[in-house]
Amino acid sequence: MINASVPNGAAALYEATKAWRNFQIKGEPSQALTKFGYSNIEEAKNDLAVRTNTSTQLSFRPNVVFAVMESMSGDIFNSHDSLVNNTLGALEDALKDAVVFRKSVSIENGTFPSLEGLLFDTPISPISQSIYGRKELSFSQVRAFKEAGYRTIFLTGCPEPWRQINDTFKFYGFEEIYGQAAIGEKFPNAEKSPWGIGDKWMFKFAEDLLKEAEGTGRPVFIMMLSTTNHPPFKVPDGEKVSKVDLKKLPKIVNIEGSYEGNMELLLQTYQYAANSLGNFILDLKDEGWLKNTIVAATGDHNARMNYQSEGNWHHVYGVPVLFWLPDQKLRASVDTNRWVSHRDILPSLLVMSTGKVLGNEKGRNLFAKDIEEGAVSFIGWSGSGFVIGKPGMVTLNGKKIRMLWLAG
């Protein structure tokens, strides 16, 4: 009811004024440099790892699909057991053709901060709901797809006016925005929830967009945001789900202290969402589209379960990062045992599809040779983020606190 309500004039003016006061980017870049111990930008650049920038561009321009899945927790993903704790559904079969990074972390710990972090590669949020929200932001990473001739689409199961994305996202490189209303019009029997429409219907809508792109000579870039696996948990459309078992989750998860004991419903909606993604991939495979389409998927953030120890940050921010690639050579050569982050996804997609190589200050191309160790996330207990890799984890708050890995 709150999400659907319209504020009166006084309330709207109050909220707009508060946002204007609270969100203004102040100061100069030099202040940030000083905070981290640099006297100028060149000193900072010298500390950045120099990349080989190995070309992994495909010999053709593929369609690109990037699915950001609501609360796709790494711990729930890794606890899948098809017999007693089926958290993946059809995704289990689809993973046979995937590049699977299980050691991966989100860019932030909320849907919209992660979404803007992916788009803008910045910890500052919410940009699009600020005084900067209706400006042509040159640092949006989606612009590179549009400039390369892609038809750029943002697709979500939530209502189009959510966070004003139907108005603001067109300033960042998206030509078209589709949400609950558009999907519901195409599939009128789809059940609506407080947060949107079932993930299954969002993926069916995406399949239709890919069909439209066939024969046009113009590739399509589709970024999706799912909504189903969100409180209040409910499997939509009365669909049946397989058995789940909370005991399969890691011991560090406090089951009783998470979601007021409704963890079983969380696992069921997680299974529904993963199954929807899996069926989408299998449909693309059956149609032969995986030969000319790159698909990436990740969770927007971990499911907000209650963890027993603050030393488990790699669990708290853990999400899977998945790729399906037309080029099997790239798939065979990648090291999936390294730590990766959200920041690496769009740079990898851009290089493979358009050949555009982002700077050393950006995320890494995961399919290039000899990339540096260390995945970067903006979030962290320090409020400034962390670097994570095989040796452990280091905060980015200037204190250089180091944590070594423990068992598990």
Side-chain angles (χ1 to χ4, degrees):
M1 181 185 71
I2 293 173
N3 287 339
S5 65
V6 177
N8 61 27
L13 179 61
Y14 169 76
E15 290 296 331
T17 304
K18 184 171 67 173
W20 178 78
R21 286 176 176 169
N22 291 344
F23 195 90
Q24 296 188 54
I25 301 174
K26 299 178 181 179
E28 298 295 330
S30 59
Q31 292 178 255
L33 290 169
T34 301
K35 176 183 176 182
F36 286 97
Y38 298 104
S39 59
N40 56 61
I41 189 66
E42 295 306 320
E43 284 186 8
K45 287 182 177 180
N46 288 337
D47 275 357
L48 292 172
V50 178
R51 296 174 183 163
T52 57
N53 290 331
T54 308
S55 176
T56 57
Q57 185 177 7
L58 301 180
S59 59
F60 59 95
R61 291 196 305 168
N63 295 318
V64 180
V65 178
F66 179 19
V68 181
M69 304 296 294
E70 172 64 48
S71 299
M72 183 176 260
S73 159
D75 283 331
I76 298 177
F77 182 90
N78 293 326
S79 71
H80 169 74
D81 183 320
S82 58
L83 297 179
V84 297
N85 187 43
N86 191 333
T87 59
L88 299 185
L91 184 57
E92 178 183 22
D93 192 23
L95 290 178
K96 295 174 183 176
D97 299 313
V99 175
V100 182
F101 293 98
R102 296 178 184 271
K103 296 179 178 179
S104 44
V105 291
S106 62
I107 208 166
E108 287 283 0
N109 203 24
T111 297
F112 207 66
S114 282
L115 185 60
E116 289 203 332
L118 285 162
L119 293 177
F120 305 134
D121 194 46
T122 176
I124 300 172
S125 180
I127 292 177
S128 64
Q129 291 184 282
S130 72
I131 59 175
Y132 312 101
R134 286 168 172 76
K135 295 182 182 295
E136 301 281 345
L137 300 180
S138 61
F139 50 83
S140 170
Q141 299 188 110
V142 174
R143 286 195 172 282
F145 287 103
K146 186 176 181 181
E147 290 166 0
Y150 275 75
R151 176 188 176 192
T152 52
I153 300 170
F154 186 80
L155 171 64
T156 179
C158 74
E160 288 89 338
W162 177 72
R163 299 271 187 159
Q164 303 173 5
I165 59 174
N166 56 330
D167 292 327
T168 59
F169 274 30
K170 290 183 179 179
F171 289 93
Y172 315 141
F174 289 107
E175 296 174 329
E176 304 165 44
I177 292 95
Y178 300 104
Q180 176 183 285
I183 299 172
E185 184 177 355
K186 179 165 284 193
F187 306 107
N189 295 327
E191 181 181 348
K192 312 294 191 306
S193 77
W195 288 101
I197 206 161
D199 292 353
K200 177 179 76 173
W201 307 106
M202 179 188 71
F203 283 112
K204 286 184 177 295
F205 195 96
E207 288 184 38
D208 288 345
L209 290 174
L210 289 171
K211 287 179 183 177
E212 289 178 17
E214 276 194 298
T216 64
R218 187 185 184 195
V220 63
F221 169 74
I222 306 172
M223 187 170 182
M224 287 187 274
L225 176 67
S226 81
T227 59
T228 299
N229 191 35
H230 190 292
F233 299 112
K234 181 180 181 295
V235 177
D237 304 302
E239 295 214 359
K240 295 181 179 179
V241 292
S242 301
K243 184 178 180 180
V244 293
D245 184 359
L246 298 175
K247 295 178 182 177
K248 289 291 183 178
L249 292 174
K251 301 291 185 184
I252 58 173
V253 176
N254 182 351
I255 295 174
E256 295 300 322
S258 301
Y259 294 110
E260 299 180 347
N262 291 328
M263 286 288 290
E264 187 170 354
L265 292 176
L266 163 64
L267 295 191
Q268 289 174 350
T269 54
Y270 188 107
Q271 179 194 135
Y272 164 87
N275 185 67
S276 299
L277 171 61
N279 282 328
F280 172 69
I281 296 296
L282 296 176
D283 286 349
L284 298 192
K285 184 177 180 180
D286 290 342
E287 294 288 342
W289 290 338
L290 285 184
K291 295 178 181 178
N292 65 354
T293 303
I294 300 173
V295 181
T298 189
D300 58 349
H301 53 77
N302 190 2
R304 293 194 181 93
M305 298 177 288
N306 190 334
Y307 285 87
Q308 295 176 2
S309 171
E310 288 192 350
N312 293 298
W313 296 106
H314 51 306
H315 289 275
V316 175
Y317 304 120
V319 291
V321 171
L322 315 171
F323 290 88
W324 287 265
L325 307 177
D327 189 333
Q328 297 306 306
K329 292 181 181 178
L330 288 177
R331 175 187 169 193
S333 63
V334 68
D335 176 12
T336 57
N337 196 42
R338 69 164 63 100
W339 280 91
V340 305
S341 109
H342 272 177
R343 295 190 68 209
D344 303 319
I345 298 174
L346 279 171
S348 299
L349 294 176
L350 278 166
V351 175
M352 288 188 286
S353 58
T354 71
K356 183 177 180 62
V357 177
L358 298 177
N360 289 342
E361 75 280 5
K362 298 290 186 178
R364 305 162 298 172
N365 173 12
L366 295 175
F367 300 93
K369 296 179 181 178
D370 303 321
I371 66 170
E372 73 273 11
E373 177 62 46
V376 177
S377 176
F378 289 136
I379 197 164
W381 66 94
S382 69
S384 299
F386 57 78
V387 177
I388 187 171
K390 291 178 182 178
M393 181 185 293
V394 182
T395 65
L396 298 181
N397 63 354
K399 297 179 181 179
K400 298 183 179 179
I401 299 171
R402 185 167 182 259
M403 296 182 65
L404 295 178
W405 293 129
L406 302 175

